[in-house]
Structures are given as C-alpha cells and as structure tokens.
Amino acid sequence: MRAPIIAASIVIVVAGMRAASPVLAPLVLALFVAVVSLPALRWLRRIGAPVPLAIPAIVLMDAVMLAGVGFIILQAVAEFREVLPEYLVRIQVLQEAAVARLQLAGFEATAVPLRELVNADRLFLLATDAARRLTGIIGVTLLIVLYLVFMLAESVGLPIKLQQAFGDRLGALSQLGRVVTEVQTYLALKTLVSLATGLLIGTGAAIIGVDFALFWGFLAFVLNYVPNVGSVIAAVPAIIVALLQLGLGPAAALGGVCLGVNIVLGSILDPMIVGRRLGLSTLVVLFSLIFWGWTWGLIGMFLALPLTATAKIVMESSRTLHPLAILMGPVPGLTDEPVPTPAGLRRE
C-alpha cells in the first residue's frame, strides 16, 4: 500500500511543479544566480564594502550582463531584418533547383512561391507573437532580479540565523554548504567551457564571413549549458545561414568548425565537469534534461544538471536514499570518482 501512495504523491508534486512553473522556474533560476554571485558578494564585503552597497553592485553587474545579452539579440534581429529579402531570393533559387532535379529524376514536384508562405499578414502575426514573447521575457527578467535582491540580502544573515535556530544540530546541515560549493564549481567550470565554445565558433563564423557571427557565438555559449543537444541546436541555424549566404563550401566549413570545437571541448572538459564534479551517469543526464525541460521549459533545461546534482548530493548524506545516489552516478571503475558514502557510515 505504501508504494502506490508514494507514486501518487510524486505525480501530484510533479504536476504542481509544472502548473506553478511561471513562478517556480524564475525563482529557482534566481536562486542559482544568487549562488553564483555569492563569491563576488563575499569578496566585496571582505574589502570593506557595506552590505547596502555590495548587493546593488552585484545586481547591477548581473543586470549589465543581461543588457549585453539583449543588445546582441536586438542587433541580430535588426541585421536579419535587412538581409531577409536576399535570403528569401536564395531560398527560392535553391528550391527551384531542387524541384528541377527531382523532376529530372522522374518525381512529381512543384515549387511553392514564397509569397504564399511569407506574406504581410503572416509577418505581422509573427512580429506580434515575438513582441508578446519579448514582453514576457522582460517580465520574467525583472522578477528574477527582484528575487535576486532579496536572496542576496537574506544570504548575509543566514549563517547567524542557522546557528541560532539549530545550535549544536547545525552539523546536520553541513551538506548544504557542500551543495552550494559543488554547484558553484560546476557553473564556474561550465561557464569557462561555454565561453571557449562561443568564442571559437563565433570567431570561426567571422573568419568564414557568415552573417551574425557575434550572435552565433553567443548562441553557442548559451546553449552549451544544455547537455547533449544544446550544441547541435546552436549549430544548425548558423550552418543554414552560411548555406544561404555563401553556399555549400562555407557552410560545410562552419559545420566542421562547430563539430571540431564540440568534439574537442565536449570530449575533454565536459566529461570532467559532469563525470567528476557532479558524478552523474550519461543516462541520468539525458533523463534529467527531458524531465526538467518538460516541467519548466527552457529554464528547466538550463537548470537540469545543477538540480539533479543537488538532489544526488542530498541523497548521498541519507542512509535511506544513498542507494539511489549510487545508481545516479557513473559506473565504478570507469571514472576516478570514488563511490560516495552516506554521512556517518564507513565502507568496509
């Protein structure tokens, strides 16, 4: 009787998380941003900056980075708007050439005029939908900034509150510090790998002469946080634009750059971060990406690994849930990561 009750409880919790995603997803994202910002906040306080000045400085730094992201996106949209007619002409030419080859091979095929697919009414609907989505993104960003301010302010006095609330029992909460440290380490290393990926792909696109090179580098940087599929998603539109703008040869060259960068960095650095730092098996990484993406959308995909790793770290300290933590980890003997032992237990 216990198993059905547990299963029903899990279903209810997951359904509630999915229904509350407009509130929970920005809240959790703000929490991870706050965790990443804590070292900078501690450094400012160490050099003598008062809390009322240190917190706005951190928030301003995060806001500047968000503004930079918005500038890159808006610049890419403006440039794309200018070259869209040329791309439509090239698409029409490629379509007619493909139809001619199919007809020569004996297949029935007709070219579809792009005027039927791209008309003023459809473009207006797309622009309206894009404006609506942009408004929603701005609203979520402001909500995240608001959450961030209160979380950073609360983090200053949190250790004192925990000491007063739990006293001698504070040792039971020591895993919280480990969770924060592991997440900070993962995000720092992942950011370095993503930054290198974005710089190399953006530089390669600029050398080849592909339009929107800065945007493709930025897209590779952002989507590299999404495991397994993020790099592929970032490469596809860049290669398509290179094909339309420059032809098959430059598109293949850009594809080779993307493939080489992702093979080298993904084979050397990403396994080190995911395998040794977080200790997650490949199957768990894939399932976490699907689950959190389904639950919270794009934000969930970005937070999939940190959330799953946090759950694993908490399980490692529990006698009851420790077997689940072992199942979530890599196969012993294939990595240098030792099998974790729950707190208070010794392996024989």
Side-chain angles (χ1 to χ4, degrees), residues 197-212:
T197 301
L199 287 174
L200 291 174
I201 291 179
T203 302
I207 293 174
I208 295 172
V210 182
D211 289 339
F212 325 121

Side-chain angles (χ1 to χ4, degrees), residues 176-223:
L176 179 62
R178 183 188 168 199
V179 170
V180 173
T181 301
E182 289 287 337
V183 170
Q184 286 176 338
T185 303
Y186 162 73
L187 291 177
L189 293 176
K190 188 66 175 178
T191 299
L192 291 177
V193 176
S194 300
L195 184 61
T197 301
L199 287 174
L200 291 174
I201 291 179
T203 302
I207 293 174
I208 295 172
V210 182
D211 289 339
F212 325 121
L214 179 62
F215 177 75
W216 301 133
F218 165 74
L219 191 64
F221 164 74
V222 172
L223 292 182

Side-chain angles (χ1 to χ4, degrees), residues 260-285:
V261 169
N262 287 293
I263 286 178
V264 172
L265 295 182
S267 299
I268 297 176
L269 295 180
D270 266 356
M272 180 188 71
I273 295 172
V274 176
R276 297 179 185 175
R277 290 292 178 181
L278 299 185
L280 297 175
S281 70
T282 304
L283 187 61
V284 170
V285 170

Side-chain angles (χ1 to χ4, degrees), residues 37-49 54 57-58 61:
S37 303
L38 281 179
L41 179 61
R42 295 195 191 102
W43 178 78
L44 288 176
R45 294 187 62 199
R46 228 179 3 250
I47 64 175
I58 297 299
M61 179 187 66

